[in-house]
Amino acid sequence: MKFTFFHLMPYRPLDLAARHKHRAGWVVLPNELYDPHKGAEEYHSYLEQLSQAEELGFDIIAVNEHHQTAYGMMPAPNLIASALIQRTRKAKIAILGRALPLVNNPINIAEEFAMLDNLSKGRIITGFVRGIGNEYHATGINPYFSHERFQEAHDLIVAAWTRPGPFAFEGEHYNLRYVNLWPRPYQTPHPPIWIPSMGSSETIRWAAAPERKYTFLVTFAGRDLVARYLNLYREQARQFGYEASGDQLGWASPVYVADTDERAREEARAGVETLFNDFLAVPWEMLMPPGYTSLASMKNTIKVRKALGAQKRHRLEDLMESGTVVVGSPRTVREQLERLREATGANNLVTMLQFGVLDDRLTRRNMELFAAEVMPHLRN
Amino acid sequence: MTAQERRHKVRDISVRLLQGGKGETLIYLHGAAGMPAWLPFFDALAARHAVLVPEHPGFGASDGPAWMRNVGDVAMYYLDFLDEMGSERVHLVGHSLGGWIAAELAVRNSSRLASLALIAPAGIRVKGVPTGDNFIWSPEEAARNLFHDQTYAEKMLAQTPTEEEADLALTNRFMAAKLGWEPRWFNPGLERWLHRVPVPTLVLWGAEDKFLPSRYAALWGERVPGAKVELIGECGHLPHIEQSGATAMKILKFLESVAVKPKRPRARRTP
């Protein structure tokens, strides 16, 4: 199994009482609540954690993109990736991912990834995402065209990476007379592309297609959904006439390890509960702007949500029970991760070992314990 | 009055349509929430006009062709609609998004129009006067912000839509986003072309509109030649519902003023 140390870089000094005077920790959260001096310290702590992950034996260190939010301080994740290239030697660096539909010229993304790939001599893994619904409020991009723009931007970026330039690109959203990337990517034919997703059947089919075979990551889902989506990918691959390899499959999850189950729960509680209730939680209208998903899947989501009833505060115990987070002694954590690996055959585990307000000291211990007590047992 | 509901096909697009009354043709273009039920407001207009209320392509049960990607496309569709109908004197009334469509149509080709009445139209932007963000509002905020008189909002919130109604509302919300999300509820080019509206124009606005502030009315008045601007007091973004009597009366009075007067036979001058 391959291990990714993934970071969201939340703004931990957030005044949570002030946060709840606003409809979300996103888009409308006044940026007066951000203190640059505290924020700068956060960046340093997090860069430290990411580079430490390499020393602890993680195969991949990973960052991602979110806008106008305390949930993650990386509107430009490639800047962090660039810093990480300088601080590390052999770990792969994954940007999971860039939100393609949000830019007006996807060539910018193709260029930046190509630069990072050259700077790192081929240590880059790219992630292509649409961004969550909130992002469409933050950027003004029309969610109705999100899928279209994603597909078109993907086609443009891959063409820019692989087709000899200059050539012209003629699309609906993007039209360029000259596509001619300098520099070209370091890896051949191009850096790996991963697709982190909440899991929609359209995305799974698209990622699994033989001409792509992109690694599919299920993010922020309970164990049943992780198993269902990853097996759906396997099933799709079979329908395409091939067997998906474990490297094509992965899932992402907050993980916390301490010497006993009880201690793990106690130490992880604030981090997990703030992650879900204070940083991530947003109203439906922000999360699901019209057109962000197809009409049919939006109707489905609404039905599921109705059946679940009014959204209550997420408690650690519930999140543990559904397997959305994995918290416990090394043995508990090993067993749970092993079970999901067996159920899915996935070879990629993307761990989030810092989450919510979890402080540096506990994060460091969590990382060390995970690396010493969990990782070796799952390494096949 | 009972209105007739039927389907109407122009080229390859079939839309739902409500129809009632007799007289010169009046077409009402609905707002972003979709085709309303037949309202008392329509009854008042239908007393003197043949009122048609089409459901825009992409909304509700009308066809939604993928190629219809912006308000300009919808306006061109309605030009086809008018040509197919063949009438030379159509009174166009548009509310909010419908007002925007009507204005886009009028600047393109107004040869079949006799008059234009815009009720709190979207379509242009007044810098420094922010509009409400209907896409971020919760259902409760939306109801409260659309009406001045909160009893209307309470009534709206007390209703639980059927599954079918909820599905239609979602379809409408999708199409509204397609047309109005970016730039938010306006076309930067439209204001430049409003001098090309050659027909008598009335602009009505709810004085307490929290979605598109009534300060927008003045700019319409400046840009559309000869446009008459009137505010309706104690009224939010839906004058045809919240102040239906006053709104219908103002429109009827305006329509009377633009009616073709029977020509008096001119006394022949004998040489």
Side-chain angles (χ1 to χ4, degrees):
Chain A
M1 205 170 204
K2 282 192 195 125
F3 296 92
T4 301
F5 177 80
F6 172 80
H7 221 303
L8 278 174
M9 298 200 174
Y11 179 69
R12 289 176 296 187
L14 182 63
D15 177 342
L16 294 180
R19 136 78 181 93
H20 284 284
K21 290 184 185 137
H22 304 278
R23 68 179 81 218
W26 298 69
V27 187
V28 295
L29 186 70
N31 64 2
E32 281 180 334
L33 293 172
Y34 178 83
D35 177 334
H37 293 278
K38 292 178 181 165
E41 293 302 327
E42 292 289 83
Y43 279 119
H44 283 276
S45 288
Y46 294 156
L47 280 170
E48 204 51 46
Q49 289 164 12
L50 281 154
S51 24
Q52 195 202 354
E54 179 186 51
E55 292 158 30
L56 290 172
F58 283 86
D59 307 280
I60 301 162
I61 52 181
V63 293
N64 86 337
E65 168 182 345
H66 290 294
H67 296 267
Q68 303 189 5
T69 176
Y71 171 78
M73 306 195 303
M74 285 184 284
N78 286 348
L79 297 183
I80 303 294
S82 183
L84 291 174
I85 290 169
Q86 304 308 316
R87 286 168 175 248
T88 54
R89 304 178 71 94
K90 56 179 199 305
K92 299 266 185 194
I93 296 163
I95 300 95
L96 302 176
R98 293 274 346 245
L100 310 189
L102 303 184
V103 298
N104 285 320
N105 185 355
I107 287 296
N108 298 148
I109 293 178
E111 287 171 338
E112 285 181 15
F113 278 151
M115 277 179 72
L116 292 173
D117 207 30
N118 280 265
L119 287 170
S120 66
K121 298 198 173 157
R123 286 196 283 136
I124 294 300
I125 293 170
T126 69
F128 287 12
V129 297
R130 294 194 295 122
I132 52 184
N134 315 347
E135 249 82 63
Y136 292 79
H137 289 277
T139 59
I141 295 295
N142 193 336
Y144 192 93
F145 297 115
S146 165
H147 271 296
E148 266 184 33
R149 288 170 73 96
F150 178 83
Q151 295 293 340
E152 207 175 304
H154 162 273
D155 295 350
L156 170 54
I157 291 170
V158 172
W161 280 346
T162 52
R163 269 181 67 184
F167 62 88
F169 186 85
E170 294 163 331
E172 179 72 45
H173 295 276
Y174 311 113
N175 288 283
L176 296 158
R177 177 66 186 81
Y178 302 106
V179 178
N180 190 18
L181 225 57
W182 284 80
R184 290 196 289 130
Y186 189 88
Q187 299 176 76
T188 313
H190 57 73
I193 297 172
W194 287 15
I195 307 294
S197 166
M198 310 279 264
S200 80
S201 47
E202 295 101 329
T203 305
I204 291 172
R205 193 176 319 120
W206 178 82
E211 66 272 29
R212 286 183 281 272
K213 294 190 179 175
Y214 294 156
T215 296
F216 180 71
L217 282 187
V218 184
T219 58
F220 279 129
R223 67 173 76 79
D224 295 347
L225 278 183
V226 170
R228 197 166 102 202
Y229 293 141
L230 293 182
N231 283 312
L232 199 61
Y233 187 106
R234 287 192 169 286
E235 189 46 45
Q236 274 299 335
R238 271 180 220 121
Q239 282 178 26
F240 283 124
Y242 76 94
E243 197 62 37
S245 85
D247 288 341
Q248 278 170 265
L249 302 167
W251 79 95
S253 172
V255 177
Y256 193 82
V257 199
D259 38 7
T260 65
D261 285 345
E262 199 186 1
R263 186 168 174 194
R265 272 202 301 275
E266 194 182 306
E267 290 175 352
R269 180 178 305 279
V272 166
E273 293 188 353
T274 50
L275 168 66
F276 284 92
N277 297 303
D278 303 304
F279 289 103
L280 181 57
V282 291
W284 171 259
E285 287 73 25
M286 278 175 73
L287 187 65
M288 287 286 161
Y292 175 72
T293 69
S294 71
L295 195 58
S297 32
M298 188 80 78
K299 281 179 189 169
N300 253 336
T301 317
I302 290 171
K303 258 185 210 141
V304 170
R305 191 165 158 265
K306 237 185 196 165
L308 287 174
Q311 179 103 3
K312 50 184 194 308
R313 220 182 136 74
H314 295 279
R315 289 184 327 128
L316 173 69
E317 282 72 14
D318 304 330
L319 293 160
M320 285 171 63
E321 200 189 310
S322 66
T324 308
V325 301
V326 180
V327 174
S329 68
R331 191 177 152 179
T332 304
V333 169
R334 275 198 306 263
E335 282 174 3
Q336 286 191 26
L337 295 175
E338 221 152 37
R339 224 176 299 142
L340 201 45
R341 184 183 59 174
E342 269 158 33
T344 60
N347 207 22
N348 282 295
L349 175 64
V350 177
T351 62
M352 233 172 93
L353 300 173
Q354 192 290 324
F355 39 77
V357 295
L358 191 72
D359 67 28
D360 288 349
R361 188 180 59 86
L362 292 180
T363 301
R364 188 178 177 97
R365 225 193 42 232
N366 187 26
M367 290 171 68
E368 286 168 353
L369 268 177
F370 183 88
E373 304 287 337
V374 180
M375 222 149 71
H377 298 266
L378 294 169
R379 271 220 187 270
N380 302 335
Chain B
M1 184 182 299
T2 48
Q4 221 194 328
E5 182 182 327
R6 60 180 175 89
R7 291 202 72 94
H8 183 77
K9 195 166 176 180
V10 177
R11 294 181 63 204
D12 57 341
I13 302 165
S14 159
V15 301
R16 199 153 63 134
L17 187 129
L18 299 176
Q19 187 173 14
K22 279 200 179 102
E24 282 193 321
T25 303
L26 182 154
I27 298 178
Y28 175 87
L29 301 180
H30 65 73
M35 183 177 74
W38 187 261
L39 300 165
F41 170 73
F42 297 139
D43 270 340
L45 299 178
R48 288 187 224 160
H49 296 85
V51 175
L52 293 179
V53 184
E55 185 172 54
H56 306 322
F59 280 81
S62 292
D63 290 349
W67 60 260
M68 204 170 274
R69 297 173 72 84
N70 55 49
V71 171
D73 289 335
V74 184
M76 293 303 282
Y77 160 79
Y78 277 114
L79 283 173
D80 283 349
F81 186 102
L82 294 183
D83 283 349
E84 194 260 1
M85 224 170 51
S87 167
E88 298 295 331
R89 277 185 59 83
V90 170
H91 302 282
L92 201 54
V93 180
H95 167 246
S96 196
L97 167 66
W100 179 6
I101 297 167
E104 295 271 2
L105 182 154
V107 299
R108 281 168 170 74
N109 180 350
S110 55
S111 56
R112 294 190 184 278
L113 298 188
S115 72
L116 185 63
L118 305 173
I119 309 170
I124 62 174
R125 188 262 311 269
V126 180
K127 280 191 178 170
V129 183
T131 59
D133 184 354
N134 62 304
F135 289 120
I136 211 170
W137 288 340
S138 67
E140 169 154 13
E141 286 172 297
R144 298 210 175 278
N145 288 331
L146 286 176
F147 293 104
H148 170 67
D149 179 351
Q150 288 300 298
T151 53
Y152 284 95
E154 312 281 353
K155 229 164 89 186
M156 194 168 158
L157 289 166
Q159 289 165 355
T160 316
T162 64
E163 196 170 319
E164 193 192 356
E165 285 167 344
D167 280 357
L168 286 184
L170 192 64
T171 303
N172 294 342
R173 202 169 157 82
F174 268 51
M175 193 61 187
K178 189 180 190 183
L179 300 177
W181 186 283
E182 188 209 7
R184 190 59 63 85
W185 294 120
F186 79 107
N187 165 9
L190 179 60
E191 189 188 331
R192 292 197 288 274
W193 298 109
L194 286 178
H195 68 275
R196 292 184 51 84
V197 180
V199 295
T201 300
L202 172 69
V203 178
L204 291 179
W205 222 291
E208 276 77 41
D209 193 331
K210 289 201 179 77
F211 174 48
L212 302 177
S214 60
R215 278 179 64 189
Y216 272 64
L219 185 60
W220 282 93
E222 280 167 38
R223 291 291 178 267
V224 180
K228 198 173 149 198
V229 176
E230 288 191 52
L231 295 191
I232 298 170
E234 301 195 341
C235 184
H237 186 61
L238 309 171
H240 56 297
I241 294 173
E242 193 169 358
Q243 295 288 354
S244 64
T247 307
M249 213 176 68
K250 282 180 193 296
I251 291 176
L252 287 170
K253 211 173 117 198
F254 163 70
L255 293 178
E256 196 153 322
S257 76
V258 304
V260 182
K261 308 273 188 313
K263 278 185 188 148
R264 258 193 295 168
R266 232 190 251 170
R268 231 187 233 165
R269 243 188 263 163
T270 39

